[in-house]
């Protein structure tokens, strides 16, 4: 009987392993320009004019590696994301509540209240993903003119109060306020000294 309990416990353990990988934990850290994909770096210099304070980052999560360039242009803080090969993925920038249409924001807030109960929105971003059939030049023009179009997404970093305490989540909604995804968000990496 003891032998069967051991095998039953072993099988239960092995079946539970894939469930642990469901959360997507990411870590972002700053890198030098020389460590950034050359193709992406050339693209930034060519396509984005008058940008200031360009910083380069590498983001690693459980599924893949991507690179980000964070910059300031026209008083907005932009993030331009690339694949590890240097292909453009999306452009996003920080916004405020008033930048989202009122009825869309209301729908999103209702969904967050249903899932979190008590919550605090820590950051809002408007995202322009490079989708099928969308040209890079069009995406750049749309993103840097801050146009609200049907293909954009809204990214919310939300602190939810749960039984475990406060937990941060990253929510993604489309332009109409329809829920697309949610994943647990880790706090920024502060293992370096800030001066």
């Amino acid at each position: 009987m003891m032998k069967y309990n051991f095998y039953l416990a072993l099988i239960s353990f092995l079946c539970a392993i894939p469930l642990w990988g469901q959360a997507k934990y990411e870590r972002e850290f700053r890198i030098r320009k020389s460590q950034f994909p050359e193709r992406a770096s050339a693209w930034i210099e060519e396509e984005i004019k008058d940008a200031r304070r360009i910083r380069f980052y590498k983001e690693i999560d459980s599924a893949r590696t991507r690179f980000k360039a964070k910059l300031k242009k026209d008083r907005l803080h932009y993030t331009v994301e690339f694949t590890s090969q240097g292909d453009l993925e999306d452009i996003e920038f920080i916004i405020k509540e008033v930048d989202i249409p009122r009825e869309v924001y209301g729908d999103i807030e209702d969904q967050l209240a249903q899932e979190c109960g008590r919550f605090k929105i820590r950051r809002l971003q408007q995202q322009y993903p490079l989708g099928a059939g969308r040209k890079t030049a069009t995406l750049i023009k749309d993103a840097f003119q801050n146009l609200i179009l049907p293909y954009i997404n809204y990214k919310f970093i939300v602190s939810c109060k749960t039984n475990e305490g406060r937990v941060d989540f990253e929510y993604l909604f489309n332009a109409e306020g329809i829920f697309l995804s949610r994943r647990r968000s880790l706090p920024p990496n502060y293992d370096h000294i800030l001066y």
Side-chain angles (χ1 to χ4, degrees):
M1 186 69 174
M2 187 71 141
K3 185 178 178 181
Y4 294 114
N5 287 341
F6 172 74
Y7 287 119
L8 183 60
L10 181 64
I11 290 171
S12 298
F13 176 75
L14 292 175
C15 290
I17 288 175
L19 297 177
W20 293 336
Q22 298 301 314
K24 232 177 163 179
Y25 298 113
E26 59 187 36
R27 183 171 181 260
E28 181 180 288
F29 51 93
R30 192 164 169 192
I31 60 173
R32 292 186 178 97
K33 185 177 179 181
S34 61
Q35 297 170 309
F36 204 69
E38 204 172 300
R39 182 174 166 190
S41 182
W43 184 90
I44 290 171
E45 289 176 12
E46 201 175 286
E47 298 292 336
I48 303 175
K49 307 295 183 207
D50 302 326
R52 297 182 299 122
R53 291 195 267 171
I54 301 175
R55 308 279 193 265
F56 300 97
Y57 295 85
K58 183 176 185 178
E59 181 182 273
I60 299 171
D61 65 27
S62 58
R64 62 190 180 137
T65 300
R66 75 175 76 143
F67 291 88
K68 295 181 176 183
K70 296 185 179 185
L71 54 100
K72 189 171 183 181
K73 179 175 169 54
D74 301 328
R75 295 188 295 180
L76 291 173
H77 295 275
Y78 287 90
T79 302
V80 185
E81 294 187 14
F82 298 92
T83 63
S84 57
Q85 292 78 31
D87 298 323
L88 179 67
E89 275 192 348
D90 62 53
I91 300 173
E92 53 194 35
F93 57 91
I94 298 172
I95 60 172
K96 295 182 180 175
E97 174 188 331
V98 296
D99 297 325
I100 300 175
R102 187 172 293 176
E103 60 191 41
V104 172
Y105 187 82
D107 292 344
I108 291 172
E109 213 172 24
D110 290 344
Q111 289 179 0
L112 292 174
Q114 287 176 352
E115 287 199 24
C116 290
R118 293 180 58 197
F119 65 92
K120 180 179 180 182
I121 298 170
R122 300 187 63 198
R123 174 180 276 196
L124 293 171
Q125 290 180 311
Q126 192 165 308
Q127 182 186 67
Y128 292 81
L130 186 63
R134 203 167 297 123
K135 295 181 179 177
T136 306
T138 305
L139 181 78
I140 294 166
K141 183 183 125 216
D142 294 347
F144 289 109
Q145 288 183 357
N146 189 6
L147 299 176
I148 297 178
L149 299 167
Y151 72 86
I152 66 167
N153 296 325
Y154 296 111
K155 187 188 290 187
F156 283 66
I157 305 297
V158 179
S159 182
C160 295
K161 187 171 183 182
T162 65
N163 296 337
E164 304 164 6
R166 290 227 170 254
V167 180
D168 290 345
F169 290 100
E170 179 183 292
Y171 285 88
L172 195 64
F173 297 92
N174 71 6
E176 298 170 357
I178 298 171
F179 172 79
L180 299 176
S181 68
R182 176 183 101 156
R183 66 179 182 176
R184 191 168 180 167
S185 178
L186 293 178
N189 181 20
Y190 289 112
D191 61 357
H192 57 282
I193 299 173
L194 298 174
Y195 289 99

